[in-house]
Amino acid sequence: MSALPERPISMVIGALGGEGGGVMATWVVRAAEMCRYPTQSTSIPGVAQRTGATTYYVEIYPATHEAIGDKRLVMGLYPAPNNMDIVVTSELMEAGRMLENGMVTSDRTTLIASSHRVYSVVEKSAMGDGLFRGDKLYNAAQKLAKRAVLFDMASLAEKEGTVLNAIAFGVIAGSGELPIPEETFREAIREFGVAVESNLKGFEIGLAYMKGELELPPAAPEKKTRKAKPNAESLLADVAATYPAETQTIVSEGIKRLVDYQNPAYARLYLDRIDTVLAIDKERGGEHNNWALTLETGRYLALMMSYEDIIRVADLKSRRSRMNRVRAEVLAQPDEPIHVTEFLKPGFDEITSVMPTWLGRPIMNWANGNEWARNYNFAMRVRTNTINGFLRLWSLSRLRFYRPRTYRYKEEQTAIEAWLETVREAASRHYQLAVEIAELANLRKGYSDTHKRGLQNFTRIMDEVGVPCSTAAKDPAWGVDALSKLRAAALADPEGDALEKAFSELDAAPQAAAAE
């Protein structure tokens, strides 16, 4: 009698809710049972931060019940770090979670994952740029796993009319990590009896990929930038001819964004403004600082000039490309209708934003002095798949020509000029201080309540630190450190507790130094 295996094969599957992780675990277990292998599986519900992520753990002892005889096996219920033979995840961030938890090791683990991204709640809700670097996760997976099988299963499934978990199941079968015949895997799908043809198609795709018989489709070409309107080409040509190479991408994207947002004349105003900053950057030795002042000012100037008002929101929500994206996300067939409901909550800020200045200013002055009005929102539900609902948004988006005569436009342009003047003044005293003041504009973004909070934080930091440091009222070197800490604190939480703490610590630091 040959010696029995020392341990079972340990396998963990990580998937988001609705991605078929449970079905794949069922297929694996059934295929093992058909081979007469002792098998045990457990599902561990996830938490809301991963939008319903669930972990499925499977142990398979690679010897038949007949070979084991009357021996009794003790098998684990939960995955343990450094103990996984196979790790399967439905997307790249789930693979990152497995890497972080120590489930993937270079001496033992085969990692199978789709390389596409599903953004986590933490990434989506961050007040700053909270995105995790997908390339870093990909490189970490390649280094930390004994064997890593990573490719975009989601796009392949969509293209071939199948599902991701079936492709992953085929990859498992083709990996050779489980001592189960290919036909047994197929039989497990057939016995399950749900969408058999589609699932078998996906299985064969994954299997063919592992055998080297499947050539992946080339990456989708980058979407062409929206065709520049008249005179936009000349603005881009000016940037290419006069701006340092390191800054051309940011400034050019700023021009394209503002042409799309308003018109070429508005993009010309952007370029005129950033020209003055570039001139100062050259005087202050910007080439030795990688043109940081021009880069950061150009980045946030474009964002500030393309602020989100009702006109912009209506424009984005009524575009054909947006409707096409929604249809693709819900996998709607060409002849299949979909229902889209926009949930809107405009308050006095949004309502007055499209009023003329003479009317919008007094209404906002009254609203700012009235607690009820400050917190007022008018809840709306607009069905944009209906003619009436779509025309309401589309008509509002056509008011772009009227934007320069609105109350919000005048307020934003005044604020932009004040911010730019502070950046210029700061640059004459301390280069890095000017860069920090430019980056402070990261707080001025968003829509509705998000914009209100960010604007309040921006104004407070500018008034108490930015402006005094740029006008010699305070030490600019101290201001660089203070602005960096305050900006990070303002982006840390929407309630403002971190910012209050950061301000209190700044107040205490000079006093302690003076006492010493």
Side-chain angles (χ1 to χ4, degrees), residues 71 143 181 205 339 379:
K71 293 182 175 63
K143 292 178 180 179
I205 290 171
H339 296 276

Side-chain angles (χ1 to χ4, degrees), residues 9 11 24-40 58-64 86 169-189 203 207 211:
I9 298 171
M11 175 179 181
M24 180 160 51
T26 301
W27 288 337
V28 170
V29 170
R30 186 58 189 137
E33 290 175 344
M34 289 178 179
C35 294
R36 301 288 297 157
Y37 295 146
T39 308
Q40 181 167 280
V58 180
E59 283 195 1
I60 300 172
Y61 190 72
T64 64
I86 308 171
F169 190 51
V171 174
I172 295 170
S175 69
E177 298 295 331
L178 295 179
I180 300 174
E182 292 176 8
E183 187 56 35
T184 306
F185 284 105
R186 295 187 183 95
E187 188 58 33
I189 294 176
F203 173 83
L207 189 63
K211 292 181 177 180

Side-chain angles (χ1 to χ4, degrees), residues 355-488:
M355 292 182 178
T357 303
W358 62 267
L359 181 59
R361 179 169 288 126
I363 293 177
M364 276 308 302
N365 289 340
W366 168 81
N368 289 331
N370 188 307
E371 184 175 355
W372 169 84
R374 284 199 302 269
N375 299 322
Y376 173 78
N377 291 103
F378 179 65
M380 298 174 59
R381 296 185 181 184
V382 181
R383 292 277 301 277
T384 50
N385 61 290
T386 65
I387 295 176
N388 179 53
F390 179 80
L391 284 178
R392 289 165 66 185
L393 280 186
W394 182 84
S395 300
L396 190 56
S397 71
R398 299 303 95 185
L399 293 179
R400 182 187 304 183
F401 73 94
Y402 174 70
R403 182 182 276 131
R405 291 186 285 276
T406 63
Y407 164 70
R408 175 77 182 275
Y409 181 90
K410 297 291 176 60
E411 293 293 307
E412 291 290 341
Q413 301 308 314
T414 300
I416 289 170
E417 288 296 343
W419 167 71
L420 277 175
E421 184 58 30
T422 305
V423 170
R424 298 186 193 105
E425 289 180 356
S428 65
R429 302 195 66 224
H430 195 288
Y431 188 92
Q432 191 57 38
L433 175 67
V435 174
E436 288 292 339
I437 292 174
E439 291 184 338
L440 193 62
N442 190 20
L443 303 182
R444 292 179 59 103
K445 60 186 177 184
Y447 187 69
S448 190
D449 292 341
T450 301
H451 179 261
K452 289 179 185 177
R453 288 191 298 266
L455 181 58
Q456 290 172 355
N457 294 338
F458 170 85
T459 302
R460 181 181 179 187
I461 297 172
M462 281 288 286
D463 290 346
E464 298 187 26
V465 179
V467 173
C469 289
S470 66
T471 56
K474 290 186 178 181
D475 178 29
W478 172 83
V480 172
D481 184 62
L483 287 172
S484 178
K485 291 179 179 177
L486 292 171
R487 176 166 51 85

Side-chain angles (χ1 to χ4, degrees), residues 199-392:
N199 288 327
L200 283 175
K201 180 180 181 180
F203 173 83
E204 298 299 340
I205 290 171
L207 189 63
Y209 175 83
M210 294 304 293
K211 292 181 177 180
E213 300 172 356
L214 175 68
E215 183 177 348
L216 291 180
E222 294 185 3
K223 293 182 179 180
K224 294 182 179 180
T225 305
R226 197 168 176 170
K227 187 176 179 180
K229 296 179 180 180
N231 299 325
E233 293 89 344
S234 62
L235 298 178
L236 295 173
D238 288 347
V239 172
T242 60
Y243 274 68
E246 297 88 338
T247 67
Q248 289 180 12
T249 298
I250 286 292
V251 177
S252 295
E253 287 302 318
I255 289 172
K256 295 172 187 176
R257 181 185 183 93
L258 295 172
V259 169
D260 177 71
Y261 178 83
Q262 188 64 31
N263 53 39
Y266 195 52
R268 176 76 257 179
L269 174 61
Y270 165 79
L271 194 56
D272 290 342
R273 285 169 166 169
I274 202 64
D275 281 346
T276 64
V277 176
L278 176 62
I280 296 174
D281 208 357
K282 290 178 178 178
E283 293 175 1
R284 301 289 294 165
E287 66 273 13
H288 303 301
N289 295 283
N290 294 318
W291 305 101
L293 181 58
T294 302
L295 280 172
E296 298 308 320
T297 306
R299 183 195 317 276
Y300 292 111
L301 177 60
L303 293 174
M304 290 176 70
M305 290 181 67
S306 56
Y307 59 90
E308 294 186 355
D309 57 5
I310 291 180
I311 300 172
R312 178 64 167 176
V313 172
D315 178 27
L316 295 176
K317 287 184 177 292
S318 60
R319 290 186 178 187
R320 181 187 295 272
S321 58
R322 194 251 181 167
M323 285 297 180
N324 291 338
R325 186 172 68 252
V326 171
R327 294 188 64 86
E329 288 175 353
V330 300
L331 304 178
Q333 298 300 317
D335 58 346
E336 187 176 6
I338 62 172
H339 296 276
V340 181
T341 302
E342 310 291 352
F343 293 85
L344 308 173
K345 291 179 61 178
F348 278 95
D349 281 2
E350 291 75 38
I351 295 171
T352 58
S353 68
V354 292
M355 292 182 178
T357 303
W358 62 267
L359 181 59
R361 179 169 288 126
I363 293 177
M364 276 308 302
N365 289 340
W366 168 81
N368 289 331
N370 188 307
E371 184 175 355
W372 169 84
R374 284 199 302 269
N375 299 322
Y376 173 78
N377 291 103
F378 179 65
M380 298 174 59
R381 296 185 181 184
V382 181
R383 292 277 301 277
T384 50
N385 61 290
T386 65
I387 295 176
N388 179 53
F390 179 80
L391 284 178
R392 289 165 66 185

